[in-house]
Amino acid sequence: MVKKNSAKAPRGPKRPAVICNEIKDWIVTQRLKPGDRLPQEKMLIERFRASKGTMREALRALEAQGLVTTRTGPGGGIFVAALGENRAMELLANYFFFRQPSISDIYTVRCQLEPELAASLVGHMQEEDYQRLEETMRVYDHPPETVGEEYQQRMAELDFHTALAELCPNPVLGFMCSFLQNLLRNLTVCRRIYDQPNPELRETGLSYQTRLLEALREQDAETVRSIMYKHMLSAWRYMESCEAEMKPEFLRLGK
């Protein structure tokens, strides 16, 4: 007697998830852009052969993902939306809420990515881009007079790197570097470090960034890559030494 296989066949995605993905594909093939209106619910139901309940669940999922928005009243309807970078980072940061990264975890990746990000900018920067970075550096080119100014300077130092990420011609690389910088802004132990007087950290960082801009102007990719790598290593050592003196805390999300 042949025994029946008791193993259950793997279940595929639920119908709302399937419809959700089909709508995404349709938005791409139709070349719809943020702000464009989707067809009315009745037409969507017919197009994707779904029940009203299934379609509404799929649309709620898309809205939760930040890809569509619903407006009521005159001129209302379902519209294509663009997921903002800050919202995307919030959602991604939730993954680490109970998987708190250490400073070492973050800088291990920064040391790999940020030198390549900086080198990718060679030949792609305009004069206004240099001015933007120089303006950011002026926030911390002098010793702080208050604790509040000290913290503002630390945030401005991260703003310098965020500006580099925003200028990056590779959007994936730029986003990943921005996300790592966002983790540093919101990690409790980092915020405590930034609250403390750190003249060495400010002066060392300013020196590296000044030389980095010079190398970028000279369009010397190898020197840019080397300076950024040494900058990341220096910051890593300093931050990790401070972290060792502090009790780890949960990642605090949001601004």
Side-chain angles (χ1 to χ4, degrees), residues 80-233:
V80 178
L83 181 64
E85 183 174 289
N86 289 338
R87 177 58 176 159
M89 288 192 183
E90 277 185 20
L91 293 172
L92 186 56
N94 286 338
Y95 176 81
F96 294 100
F97 192 84
F98 294 111
R99 300 173 179 84
Q100 182 192 15
S102 67
I103 287 174
S104 179
D105 293 332
I106 296 171
Y107 273 95
T108 295
V109 183
R110 287 192 82 191
C111 281
Q112 297 296 318
L113 297 187
E114 295 224 19
E116 296 307 315
L117 180 146
S120 75
L121 295 174
V122 171
H124 292 276
M125 292 181 63
Q126 305 298 320
E127 183 57 35
E128 56 265 28
D129 299 327
Y130 292 108
Q131 292 176 2
R132 174 187 177 185
L133 294 169
E134 289 167 353
E135 184 68 25
T136 301
M137 293 167 65
R138 277 194 277 276
V139 176
Y140 50 90
D141 66 359
H142 57 277
E145 296 182 358
T146 66
V147 174
E149 186 180 7
E150 173 87 18
Y151 182 77
Q152 291 176 355
Q153 288 185 344
R154 297 294 80 73
M155 294 301 99
E157 289 177 42
L158 286 174
D159 288 342
F160 178 93
H161 292 275
T162 298
L164 293 178
E166 291 173 353
L167 295 170
C168 181
N170 182 330
V172 177
L173 180 58
F175 179 83
M176 294 309 299
C177 289
S178 290
F179 177 67
L180 294 171
Q181 294 149 16
N182 197 52
L183 285 178
L184 289 174
R185 293 176 191 276
N186 294 298
L187 199 64
T188 302
V189 64
C190 292
R191 294 175 67 85
R192 290 184 177 179
I193 292 172
Y194 297 146
D195 277 336
Q196 303 302 315
N198 296 316
E200 178 185 347
L201 182 64
R202 181 187 63 81
E203 293 168 7
T204 302
L206 188 61
S207 174
Y208 277 119
Q209 292 171 1
T210 300
R211 285 183 282 140
L212 182 74
L213 284 187
E214 292 174 356
L216 282 169
R217 285 187 177 277
E218 294 171 0
Q219 299 194 24
D220 185 345
E222 286 307 311
T223 299
V224 166
R225 185 179 286 108
S226 175
I227 291 172
M228 183 60 86
Y229 180 70
K230 292 175 181 177
H231 181 18
M232 291 295 97
L233 279 181

Side-chain angles (χ1 to χ4, degrees), residues 48-65:
F48 295 102
R49 299 178 181 177
S51 68
K52 181 183 290 188
T54 296
M55 180 55 64
R56 289 185 175 179
E57 189 173 343
L59 291 173
R60 283 196 296 269
L62 287 172
E63 192 164 14
Q65 294 171 29

Side-chain angles (χ1 to χ4, degrees), residues 29-64:
T29 57
Q30 295 298 308
R31 298 183 179 179
L32 299 183
K33 298 178 180 179
D36 288 346
R37 186 196 299 268
L38 291 181
Q40 293 181 348
E41 184 182 85
K42 182 179 179 180
M43 295 179 64
L44 290 174
I45 288 172
E46 293 175 356
R47 178 182 295 274
F48 295 102
R49 299 178 181 177
S51 68
K52 181 183 290 188
T54 296
M55 180 55 64
R56 289 185 175 179
E57 189 173 343
L59 291 173
R60 283 196 296 269
L62 287 172
E63 192 164 14

